[in-house]
Amino acid sequence: MGYNSQQKLSDNLAAIRIALTWKEGQRLSDEEVLVLKGYSGFGGLKAVLFPAGSKESWVALNASEQDLRLHAGVMELHQLLQQRLSEEEYKAAINSIRNSILTAFYTSAVVPQAVYGSLKKLGVEPKHLYEPSAGAGVFVTEAVAAFPSLQKVTAVEKDFLTGRVLTALGSSIPVPTSIQTKGFEQTDNSENGTADLIVSNIPFGNFPVYDDAYPDEAISGKIHNYFFAKGLDKLKEGGLLAYITTDAFLNSQSNKAAREHLFRNADFVSVNVLPDNLMKDTGN
């Protein structure tokens, strides 16, 4: 099945509608949980970059035919957010969506299932899982299914709306779960050295992260390099970091300093190779 942008937008709208009406302490139905799990972010939906307005106004801004097919759904998104949020929150939500376009490519369940299957073969049974770029929580929900040993989950997600979806979904997880809607660089140093397992499909891109703890541009100059370094900080002695990464991180000269930092501060355990079209259906 190929990437269906209209279906993805429709699924996102359904999940956001539940997330924005959910109240703390409210019990979600099984159907609502499934809808929340269907949220996939806006990484493959660049039509959300266009402003609320008529199709004609989009055409004037050089919208493609594919963009125009999503016009009605994007207008529904604006209307939903305006109805459920304050003016300030609405603007923050739209800005957050637009800022996440380059990194919000979410993951199908087969990916964490493959990761956790590999870890279980190694005899790994974590008690505290930390997810630094959690999205809608697929690594969290699959971990709870895979590891009966789990006693605590910490999940971090920067995007405003995705954080709301994740918070609602987190209420259905039968393990104490802390959801933080903030950037990984804003997390507290008191968490350092606490996690047994750090796992994620981290963001990738040639843009920097600003963190006083990492002034060296070789680490903080690219967001994926930063996530490796910061992830190691959160691990307790003997913990494991398991990220979905790229051929470029492993081989590119531009990432050499970050690799050297990683292997100076951690022991390499294993690598598993996944198909290069793995994210085609979920993120295009």
Side-chain angles (χ1 to χ4, degrees):
M1 182 184 294
Y3 183 81
N4 185 325
S5 57
Q6 289 178 309
Q7 185 62 55
K8 294 294 182 185
L9 181 54
S10 177
D11 290 345
N12 285 350
L13 284 166
I16 290 169
R17 190 170 286 108
I18 291 171
L20 293 183
T21 56
W22 177 83
K23 304 294 183 186
E24 189 171 353
Q26 176 184 338
R27 184 178 177 84
L28 294 168
S29 68
D30 291 344
E31 182 179 353
E32 287 172 324
V33 169
L34 284 175
V35 172
L36 290 169
K37 287 182 176 181
Y39 181 84
S40 60
F42 292 89
L45 301 169
K46 68 181 183 66
V48 297
L49 293 171
F50 290 96
S54 64
K55 270 193 175 183
E56 290 72 22
S57 69
W58 280 27
V59 171
L61 293 170
N62 297 317
S64 68
E65 284 298 320
Q66 176 63 30
D67 295 329
L68 293 173
R69 282 196 286 271
L70 298 180
H71 178 267
V74 173
M75 293 307 100
E76 185 179 348
L77 172 65
H78 281 279
Q79 184 179 32
L80 174 61
L81 298 181
Q82 288 170 329
Q83 288 173 345
R84 296 293 181 181
L85 302 175
S86 68
E87 181 66 20
E88 184 177 354
E89 288 174 327
Y90 163 70
K91 289 178 180 178
I94 292 299
N95 286 335
S96 187
I97 288 172
R98 291 170 177 165
N99 290 336
S100 72
I101 285 291
L102 295 176
T103 58
F105 295 95
Y106 290 2
T107 315
S108 62
V110 68
V111 179
Q113 287 167 3
V115 172
Y116 297 147
S118 297
L119 293 176
K120 287 179 77 68
K121 287 178 182 177
L122 295 171
V124 174
E125 287 291 339
K127 293 181 179 179
H128 179 193
L129 177 114
Y130 195 109
E131 222 290 26
S133 182
V138 66
F139 275 93
V140 172
T141 54
E142 291 298 324
V144 172
F147 299 117
S149 57
L150 273 181
Q151 298 175 4
K152 180 181 180 181
V153 172
T154 302
V156 180
E157 172 51 45
K158 186 173 186 176
D159 179 69
F160 174 84
L161 278 180
T162 307
R164 295 286 288 264
V165 172
L166 181 60
T167 300
L169 181 60
S171 70
S172 70
I173 294 172
V175 173
T177 302
S178 169
I179 308 296
Q180 302 180 42
T181 306
K182 60 176 65 171
F184 193 26
E185 69 278 11
Q186 297 171 312
T187 56
D188 198 272
N189 289 337
S190 65
E191 300 173 342
N192 291 356
T194 62
D196 301 303
L197 176 63
I198 311 283
V199 63
S200 190
N201 177 12
I202 62 174
F204 287 83
N206 295 331
F207 42 90
V209 178
Y210 299 98
D211 185 337
D212 291 340
Y214 286 97
D216 184 357
E217 191 175 328
I219 301 299
S220 60
K222 295 182 179 180
I223 193 169
H224 47 277
N225 290 341
Y226 172 79
F227 264 73
F228 271 100
K230 190 75 167 181
L232 290 183
D233 291 344
K234 304 295 184 183
L235 280 179
K236 63 172 58 174
E237 187 67 26
L240 282 171
L241 182 148
Y243 281 169
I244 304 300
T245 188
T246 62
D247 174 76
F249 175 78
L250 297 173
N251 295 303
S252 169
Q253 181 66 23
S254 66
N255 295 313
K256 181 180 179 183
R259 287 196 301 272
E260 289 176 344
H261 173 88
L262 182 65
F263 293 121
R264 275 197 308 270
N265 292 281
D267 297 317
F268 176 74
V269 177
S270 69
V271 61
N272 291 299
V273 181
L274 297 166
D276 63 3
N277 63 350
L278 191 65
M279 306 299 177
K280 181 65 178 176
D281 286 355
T282 56
N284 202 30

